[in-house]
PDB file of all heavy atoms in Angstrom:
ATOM      1  N   ILE P  39       6.363  42.886  12.300  1.00 58.00           N
ATOM      2  CA  ILE P  39       6.409  42.684  10.858  1.00 58.00           C
ATOM      3  C   ILE P  39       7.669  43.335  10.327  1.00 58.00           C
ATOM      4  O   ILE P  39       7.922  44.518  10.546  1.00 58.00           O
ATOM      5  CB  ILE P  39       5.160  43.284  10.179  1.00 58.00           C
ATOM      6  CG1 ILE P  39       3.906  42.581  10.696  1.00 58.00           C
ATOM      7  CG2 ILE P  39       5.260  43.163   8.681  1.00 58.00           C
ATOM      8  CD1 ILE P  39       2.625  43.185  10.199  1.00 58.00           C
ATOM      9  N   VAL P  40       8.472  42.519   9.622  1.00 52.00           N
ATOM     10  CA  VAL P  40       9.737  43.011   9.095  1.00 52.00           C
ATOM     11  C   VAL P  40       9.569  43.250   7.609  1.00 52.00           C
ATOM     12  O   VAL P  40       9.128  42.368   6.878  1.00 52.00           O
ATOM     13  CB  VAL P  40      10.860  41.988   9.349  1.00 52.00           C
ATOM     14  CG1 VAL P  40      12.173  42.493   8.777  1.00 52.00           C
ATOM     15  CG2 VAL P  40      10.974  41.694  10.820  1.00 52.00           C
ATOM     16  N   LYS P  41       9.941  44.443   7.151  1.00 51.00           N
ATOM     17  CA  LYS P  41       9.838  44.770   5.729  1.00 51.00           C
ATOM     18  C   LYS P  41      11.101  44.314   5.016  1.00 51.00           C
ATOM     19  O   LYS P  41      12.201  44.427   5.532  1.00 51.00           O
ATOM     20  CB  LYS P  41       9.648  46.272   5.524  1.00 51.00           C
ATOM     21  CG  LYS P  41       8.289  46.759   5.956  1.00 51.00           C
ATOM     22  CD  LYS P  41       8.110  48.197   5.547  1.00 51.00           C
ATOM     23  CE  LYS P  41       6.715  48.658   5.876  1.00 51.00           C
ATOM     24  NZ  LYS P  41       6.450  50.021   5.422  1.00 51.00           N
ATOM     25  N   SER P  42      10.930  43.787   3.809  1.00 50.00           N
ATOM     26  CA  SER P  42      12.085  43.409   3.011  1.00 50.00           C
ATOM     27  C   SER P  42      12.561  44.613   2.217  1.00 50.00           C
ATOM     28  O   SER P  42      11.979  45.691   2.275  1.00 50.00           O
ATOM     29  CB  SER P  42      11.713  42.250   2.086  1.00 50.00           C
ATOM     30  OG  SER P  42      10.791  42.705   1.119  1.00 50.00           O
ATOM     31  N   ARG P  43      13.585  44.415   1.428  1.00 54.00           N
ATOM     32  CA  ARG P  43      14.149  45.520   0.644  1.00 54.00           C
ATOM     33  C   ARG P  43      13.163  46.047  -0.393  1.00 54.00           C
ATOM     34  O   ARG P  43      13.181  47.194  -0.756  1.00 54.00           O
ATOM     35  CB  ARG P  43      15.418  45.054  -0.045  1.00 54.00           C
ATOM     36  CG  ARG P  43      16.527  44.774   0.917  1.00 54.00           C
ATOM     37  CD  ARG P  43      17.753  44.344   0.187  1.00 54.00           C
ATOM     38  NE  ARG P  43      18.752  43.901   1.159  1.00 54.00           N
ATOM     39  CZ  ARG P  43      19.864  43.309   0.828  1.00 54.00           C
ATOM     40  NH1 ARG P  43      20.144  43.074  -0.436  1.00 54.00           N
ATOM     41  NH2 ARG P  43      20.718  42.952   1.750  1.00 54.00           N
ATOM     42  N   LYS P  44      12.304  45.157  -0.890  1.00 55.00           N
ATOM     43  CA  LYS P  44      11.369  45.556  -1.923  1.00 55.00           C
ATOM     44  C   LYS P  44      10.176  46.312  -1.355  1.00 55.00           C
ATOM     45  O   LYS P  44       9.377  46.844  -2.086  1.00 55.00           O
ATOM     46  CB  LYS P  44      10.878  44.326  -2.689  1.00 55.00           C
ATOM     47  CG  LYS P  44      11.951  43.638  -3.482  1.00 55.00           C
ATOM     48  CD  LYS P  44      11.395  42.458  -4.224  1.00 55.00           C
ATOM     49  CE  LYS P  44      12.490  41.756  -5.002  1.00 55.00           C
ATOM     50  NZ  LYS P  44      11.983  40.587  -5.697  1.00 55.00           N
ATOM     51  N   GLY P  45      10.042  46.336  -0.073  1.00 55.00           N
ATOM     52  CA  GLY P  45       8.947  47.049   0.538  1.00 55.00           C
ATOM     53  C   GLY P  45       7.736  46.176   0.804  1.00 55.00           C
ATOM     54  O   GLY P  45       6.732  46.649   1.313  1.00 55.00           O
ATOM     55  N   CYS P  46       7.808  44.913   0.499  1.00 58.00           N
ATOM     56  CA  CYS P  46       6.689  43.995   0.739  1.00 58.00           C
ATOM     57  C   CYS P  46       6.781  43.487   2.180  1.00 58.00           C
ATOM     58  O   CYS P  46       7.843  43.055   2.631  1.00 58.00           O
ATOM     59  CB  CYS P  46       6.744  42.836  -0.242  1.00 58.00           C
ATOM     60  SG  CYS P  46       5.471  41.613   0.009  1.00 58.00           S
ATOM     61  N   ILE P  47       5.689  43.536   2.894  1.00 61.00           N
ATOM     62  CA  ILE P  47       5.741  43.104   4.289  1.00 61.00           C
ATOM     63  C   ILE P  47       5.845  41.582   4.419  1.00 61.00           C
ATOM     64  O   ILE P  47       6.189  41.070   5.466  1.00 61.00           O
ATOM     65  CB  ILE P  47       4.520  43.615   5.082  1.00 61.00           C
ATOM     66  CG1 ILE P  47       3.233  43.117   4.473  1.00 61.00           C
ATOM     67  CG2 ILE P  47       4.541  45.113   5.177  1.00 61.00           C
ATOM     68  CD1 ILE P  47       2.006  43.433   5.302  1.00 61.00           C
ATOM     69  N   PHE P  48       5.553  40.870   3.332  1.00 60.00           N
ATOM     70  CA  PHE P  48       5.635  39.413   3.379  1.00 60.00           C
ATOM     71  C   PHE P  48       6.906  38.883   2.720  1.00 60.00           C
ATOM     72  O   PHE P  48       7.021  37.696   2.468  1.00 60.00           O
ATOM     73  CB  PHE P  48       4.414  38.785   2.707  1.00 60.00           C
ATOM     74  CG  PHE P  48       3.128  39.132   3.384  1.00 60.00           C
ATOM     75  CD1 PHE P  48       2.223  39.992   2.788  1.00 60.00           C
ATOM     76  CD2 PHE P  48       2.834  38.611   4.622  1.00 60.00           C
ATOM     77  CE1 PHE P  48       1.043  40.316   3.412  1.00 60.00           C
ATOM     78  CE2 PHE P  48       1.654  38.929   5.254  1.00 60.00           C
ATOM     79  CZ  PHE P  48       0.758  39.791   4.655  1.00 60.00           C
ATOM     80  N   GLY P  49       7.862  39.736   2.440  1.00 60.00           N
ATOM     81  CA  GLY P  49       9.086  39.331   1.740  1.00 60.00           C
ATOM     82  C   GLY P  49       9.873  38.270   2.480  1.00 60.00           C
ATOM     83  O   GLY P  49      10.274  37.268   1.909  1.00 60.00           O
ATOM     84  N   THR P  50      10.123  38.477   3.748  1.00 59.00           N
ATOM     85  CA  THR P  50      10.895  37.492   4.505  1.00 59.00           C
ATOM     86  C   THR P  50      10.090  36.213   4.710  1.00 59.00           C
ATOM     87  O   THR P  50      10.648  35.127   4.740  1.00 59.00           O
ATOM     88  CB  THR P  50      11.313  38.056   5.871  1.00 59.00           C
ATOM     89  OG1 THR P  50      10.151  38.495   6.560  1.00 59.00           O
ATOM     90  CG2 THR P  50      12.273  39.208   5.699  1.00 59.00           C
ATOM     91  N   TYR P  51       8.775  36.361   4.821  1.00 57.00           N
ATOM     92  CA  TYR P  51       7.933  35.192   5.001  1.00 57.00           C
ATOM     93  C   TYR P  51       7.968  34.308   3.760  1.00 57.00           C
ATOM     94  O   TYR P  51       8.088  33.089   3.851  1.00 57.00           O
ATOM     95  CB  TYR P  51       6.502  35.628   5.308  1.00 57.00           C
ATOM     96  CG  TYR P  51       5.549  34.478   5.537  1.00 57.00           C
ATOM     97  CD1 TYR P  51       5.652  33.682   6.669  1.00 57.00           C
ATOM     98  CD2 TYR P  51       4.568  34.181   4.605  1.00 57.00           C
ATOM     99  CE1 TYR P  51       4.806  32.634   6.885  1.00 57.00           C
ATOM    100  CE2 TYR P  51       3.704  33.124   4.805  1.00 57.00           C
ATOM    101  CZ  TYR P  51       3.819  32.357   5.943  1.00 57.00           C
ATOM    102  OH  TYR P  51       2.972  31.309   6.144  1.00 57.00           O
ATOM    103  N   THR P  52       7.885  34.910   2.574  1.00 57.00           N
ATOM    104  CA  THR P  52       7.911  34.119   1.344  1.00 57.00           C
ATOM    105  C   THR P  52       9.277  33.496   1.132  1.00 57.00           C
ATOM    106  O   THR P  52       9.381  32.404   0.582  1.00 57.00           O
ATOM    107  CB  THR P  52       7.505  34.953   0.123  1.00 57.00           C
ATOM    108  OG1 THR P  52       8.352  36.089   0.036  1.00 57.00           O
ATOM    109  CG2 THR P  52       6.063  35.363   0.190  1.00 57.00           C
ATOM    110  N   LYS P  53      10.344  34.157   1.570  1.00 59.00           N
ATOM    111  CA  LYS P  53      11.676  33.557   1.451  1.00 59.00           C
ATOM    112  C   LYS P  53      11.772  32.312   2.325  1.00 59.00           C
ATOM    113  O   LYS P  53      12.370  31.324   1.943  1.00 59.00           O
ATOM    114  CB  LYS P  53      12.751  34.564   1.854  1.00 59.00           C
ATOM    115  CG  LYS P  53      12.989  35.633   0.824  1.00 59.00           C
ATOM    116  CD  LYS P  53      14.051  36.609   1.285  1.00 59.00           C
ATOM    117  CE  LYS P  53      14.186  37.761   0.312  1.00 59.00           C
ATOM    118  NZ  LYS P  53      15.144  38.765   0.777  1.00 59.00           N
ATOM    119  N   LYS P  54      11.186  32.354   3.512  1.00 60.00           N
ATOM    120  CA  LYS P  54      11.198  31.185   4.388  1.00 60.00           C
ATOM    121  C   LYS P  54      10.405  30.047   3.779  1.00 60.00           C
ATOM    122  O   LYS P  54      10.791  28.891   3.872  1.00 60.00           O
ATOM    123  CB  LYS P  54      10.622  31.544   5.759  1.00 60.00           C
ATOM    124  CG  LYS P  54      11.518  32.419   6.582  1.00 60.00           C
ATOM    125  CD  LYS P  54      10.883  32.744   7.916  1.00 60.00           C
ATOM    126  CE  LYS P  54      11.741  33.697   8.719  1.00 60.00           C
ATOM    127  NZ  LYS P  54      11.108  34.058   9.989  1.00 60.00           N
ATOM    128  N   ILE P  55       9.284  30.359   3.146  1.00 58.00           N
ATOM    129  CA  ILE P  55       8.472  29.317   2.516  1.00 58.00           C
ATOM    130  C   ILE P  55       9.206  28.708   1.344  1.00 58.00           C
ATOM    131  O   ILE P  55       9.207  27.496   1.154  1.00 58.00           O
ATOM    132  CB  ILE P  55       7.107  29.884   2.076  1.00 58.00           C
ATOM    133  CG1 ILE P  55       6.256  30.205   3.288  1.00 58.00           C
ATOM    134  CG2 ILE P  55       6.375  28.902   1.175  1.00 58.00           C
ATOM    135  CD1 ILE P  55       4.931  30.850   2.960  1.00 58.00           C
ATOM    136  N   ARG P  56       9.865  29.525   0.543  1.00 60.00           N
ATOM    137  CA  ARG P  56      10.597  29.000  -0.617  1.00 60.00           C
ATOM    138  C   ARG P  56      11.689  28.036  -0.191  1.00 60.00           C
ATOM    139  O   ARG P  56      11.971  27.070  -0.873  1.00 60.00           O
ATOM    140  CB  ARG P  56      11.192  30.152  -1.417  1.00 60.00           C
ATOM    141  CG  ARG P  56      10.184  30.867  -2.253  1.00 60.00           C
ATOM    142  CD  ARG P  56      10.853  31.880  -3.145  1.00 60.00           C
ATOM    143  NE  ARG P  56       9.841  32.800  -3.656  1.00 60.00           N
ATOM    144  CZ  ARG P  56      10.039  34.071  -3.890  1.00 60.00           C
ATOM    145  NH1 ARG P  56      11.221  34.607  -3.661  1.00 60.00           N
ATOM    146  NH2 ARG P  56       9.079  34.820  -4.351  1.00 60.00           N
ATOM    147  N   ASN P  57      12.321  28.286   0.918  1.00 61.00           N
ATOM    148  CA  ASN P  57      13.369  27.394   1.386  1.00 61.00           C
ATOM    149  C   ASN P  57      12.811  26.049   1.833  1.00 61.00           C
ATOM    150  O   ASN P  57      13.494  25.047   1.787  1.00 61.00           O
ATOM    151  CB  ASN P  57      14.140  28.029   2.537  1.00 61.00           C
ATOM    152  CG  ASN P  57      14.975  29.210   2.090  1.00 61.00           C
ATOM    153  OD1 ASN P  57      15.307  29.312   0.915  1.00 61.00           O
ATOM    154  ND2 ASN P  57      15.294  30.102   3.007  1.00 61.00           N
ATOM    155  N   LYS P  58      11.558  26.017   2.269  1.00 66.00           N
ATOM    156  CA  LYS P  58      10.965  24.779   2.754  1.00 66.00           C
ATOM    157  C   LYS P  58      10.254  23.989   1.666  1.00 66.00           C
ATOM    158  O   LYS P  58       9.925  22.834   1.860  1.00 66.00           O
ATOM    159  CB  LYS P  58       9.972  25.083   3.873  1.00 66.00           C
ATOM    160  CG  LYS P  58      10.635  25.593   5.123  1.00 66.00           C
ATOM    161  CD  LYS P  58       9.633  25.858   6.208  1.00 66.00           C
ATOM    162  CE  LYS P  58      10.312  26.408   7.447  1.00 66.00           C
ATOM    163  NZ  LYS P  58       9.350  26.688   8.506  1.00 66.00           N
ATOM    164  N   MET P  59       9.998  24.590   0.535  1.00 68.00           N
ATOM    165  CA  MET P  59       9.257  23.902  -0.527  1.00 68.00           C
ATOM    166  C   MET P  59      10.151  22.901  -1.240  1.00 68.00           C
ATOM    167  O   MET P  59      11.376  23.053  -1.294  1.00 68.00           O
ATOM    168  CB  MET P  59       8.704  24.910  -1.533  1.00 68.00           C
ATOM    169  CG  MET P  59       7.575  25.742  -0.980  1.00 68.00           C
ATOM    170  SD  MET P  59       6.935  26.922  -2.157  1.00 68.00           S
ATOM    171  CE  MET P  59       6.287  25.851  -3.398  1.00 68.00           C
ATOM    172  N   PHE P  60       9.533  21.873  -1.816  1.00 68.00           N
ATOM    173  CA  PHE P  60      10.262  20.873  -2.575  1.00 68.00           C
ATOM    174  C   PHE P  60      10.642  21.423  -3.944  1.00 68.00           C
ATOM    175  O   PHE P  60       9.920  22.222  -4.521  1.00 68.00           O
ATOM    176  CB  PHE P  60       9.397  19.627  -2.804  1.00 68.00           C
ATOM    177  CG  PHE P  60       9.179  18.808  -1.588  1.00 68.00           C
ATOM    178  CD1 PHE P  60       7.895  18.480  -1.184  1.00 68.00           C
ATOM    179  CD2 PHE P  60      10.230  18.339  -0.839  1.00 68.00           C
ATOM    180  CE1 PHE P  60       7.669  17.709  -0.075  1.00 68.00           C
ATOM    181  CE2 PHE P  60      10.022  17.561   0.281  1.00 68.00           C
ATOM    182  CZ  PHE P  60       8.742  17.250   0.664  1.00 68.00           C
ATOM    183  N   GLU P  61      11.748  20.927  -4.451  1.00 80.00           N
ATOM    184  CA  GLU P  61      12.066  21.192  -5.842  1.00 80.00           C
ATOM    185  C   GLU P  61      11.298  20.183  -6.675  1.00 80.00           C
ATOM    186  O   GLU P  61      10.776  19.193  -6.153  1.00 80.00           O
ATOM    187  CB  GLU P  61      13.566  21.033  -6.077  1.00 80.00           C
ATOM    188  CG  GLU P  61      14.388  22.096  -5.386  1.00 80.00           C
ATOM    189  CD  GLU P  61      15.868  21.910  -5.624  1.00 80.00           C
ATOM    190  OE1 GLU P  61      16.228  21.087  -6.487  1.00 80.00           O
ATOM    191  OE2 GLU P  61      16.649  22.589  -4.954  1.00 80.00           O
ATOM    192  N   PHE P  62      11.231  20.399  -7.966  1.00 80.00           N
ATOM    193  CA  PHE P  62      10.431  19.523  -8.826  1.00 80.00           C
ATOM    194  C   PHE P  62      10.941  18.090  -8.793  1.00 80.00           C
ATOM    195  O   PHE P  62      10.153  17.149  -8.767  1.00 80.00           O
ATOM    196  CB  PHE P  62      10.419  20.046 -10.268  1.00 80.00           C
ATOM    197  CG  PHE P  62       9.581  19.206 -11.179  1.00 80.00           C
ATOM    198  CD1 PHE P  62       8.200  19.234 -11.087  1.00 80.00           C
ATOM    199  CD2 PHE P  62      10.163  18.371 -12.108  1.00 80.00           C
ATOM    200  CE1 PHE P  62       7.416  18.453 -11.904  1.00 80.00           C
ATOM    201  CE2 PHE P  62       9.383  17.587 -12.934  1.00 80.00           C
ATOM    202  CZ  PHE P  62       8.007  17.632 -12.833  1.00 80.00           C
ATOM    203  N   GLN P  63      12.252  17.894  -8.797  1.00 80.00           N
ATOM    204  CA  GLN P  63      12.807  16.538  -8.783  1.00 80.00           C
ATOM    205  C   GLN P  63      12.464  15.809  -7.491  1.00 80.00           C
ATOM    206  O   GLN P  63      12.171  14.618  -7.502  1.00 80.00           O
ATOM    207  CB  GLN P  63      14.314  16.584  -8.982  1.00 80.00           C
ATOM    208  CG  GLN P  63      14.713  16.993 -10.379  1.00 80.00           C
ATOM    209  CD  GLN P  63      16.215  17.079 -10.525  1.00 80.00           C
ATOM    210  OE1 GLN P  63      16.940  17.116  -9.526  1.00 80.00           O
ATOM    211  NE2 GLN P  63      16.691  17.124 -11.752  1.00 80.00           N
ATOM    212  N   GLN P  64      12.487  16.524  -6.376  1.00 82.00           N
ATOM    213  CA  GLN P  64      12.114  15.900  -5.112  1.00 82.00           C
ATOM    214  C   GLN P  64      10.633  15.538  -5.121  1.00 82.00           C
ATOM    215  O   GLN P  64      10.251  14.469  -4.643  1.00 82.00           O
ATOM    216  CB  GLN P  64      12.408  16.835  -3.949  1.00 82.00           C
ATOM    217  CG  GLN P  64      13.876  17.027  -3.686  1.00 82.00           C
ATOM    218  CD  GLN P  64      14.120  18.062  -2.612  1.00 82.00           C
ATOM    219  OE1 GLN P  64      13.368  19.020  -2.495  1.00 82.00           O
ATOM    220  NE2 GLN P  64      15.170  17.866  -1.832  1.00 82.00           N
ATOM    221  N   TYR P  65       9.823  16.410  -5.661  1.00 87.00           N
ATOM    222  CA  TYR P  65       8.389  16.147  -5.749  1.00 87.00           C
ATOM    223  C   TYR P  65       8.132  14.949  -6.648  1.00 87.00           C
ATOM    224  O   TYR P  65       7.341  14.072  -6.314  1.00 87.00           O
ATOM    225  CB  TYR P  65       7.672  17.390  -6.298  1.00 87.00           C
ATOM    226  CG  TYR P  65       6.208  17.215  -6.505  1.00 87.00           C
ATOM    227  CD1 TYR P  65       5.344  17.136  -5.426  1.00 87.00           C
ATOM    228  CD2 TYR P  65       5.681  17.120  -7.786  1.00 87.00           C
ATOM    229  CE1 TYR P  65       3.981  16.971  -5.604  1.00 87.00           C
ATOM    230  CE2 TYR P  65       4.327  16.960  -7.980  1.00 87.00           C
ATOM    231  CZ  TYR P  65       3.487  16.889  -6.886  1.00 87.00           C
ATOM    232  OH  TYR P  65       2.149  16.722  -7.076  1.00 87.00           O
ATOM    233  N   LEU P  66       8.822  14.896  -7.789  1.00 90.00           N
ATOM    234  CA  LEU P  66       8.662  13.776  -8.715  1.00 90.00           C
ATOM    235  C   LEU P  66       9.122  12.477  -8.060  1.00 90.00           C
ATOM    236  O   LEU P  66       8.459  11.436  -8.188  1.00 90.00           O
ATOM    237  CB  LEU P  66       9.459  14.050  -9.985  1.00 90.00           C
ATOM    238  CG  LEU P  66       9.236  13.106 -11.152  1.00 90.00           C
ATOM    239  CD1 LEU P  66       7.779  13.158 -11.587  1.00 90.00           C
ATOM    240  CD2 LEU P  66      10.142  13.465 -12.298  1.00 90.00           C
ATOM    241  N   GLY P  67      10.224  12.524  -7.329  1.00 88.00           N
ATOM    242  CA  GLY P  67      10.706  11.336  -6.626  1.00 88.00           C
ATOM    243  C   GLY P  67       9.714  10.861  -5.582  1.00 88.00           C
ATOM    244  O   GLY P  67       9.493   9.662  -5.399  1.00 88.00           O
TER     245      GLY P  67
END
Side-chain angles (χ1 to χ4, degrees):
I39 298 174
V40 179
K41 289 188 175 184
S42 68
R43 292 181 188 171
K44 294 181 181 178
C46 177
I47 59 173
F48 298 109
T50 55
Y51 181 69
T52 56
K53 286 179 186 176
K54 289 180 184 178
I55 290 176
R56 283 187 196 146
N57 291 338
K58 292 181 182 179
M59 289 180 64
F60 288 126
E61 292 180 11
F62 182 72
Q63 290 178 344
Q64 290 174 327
Y65 177 72
L66 190 61

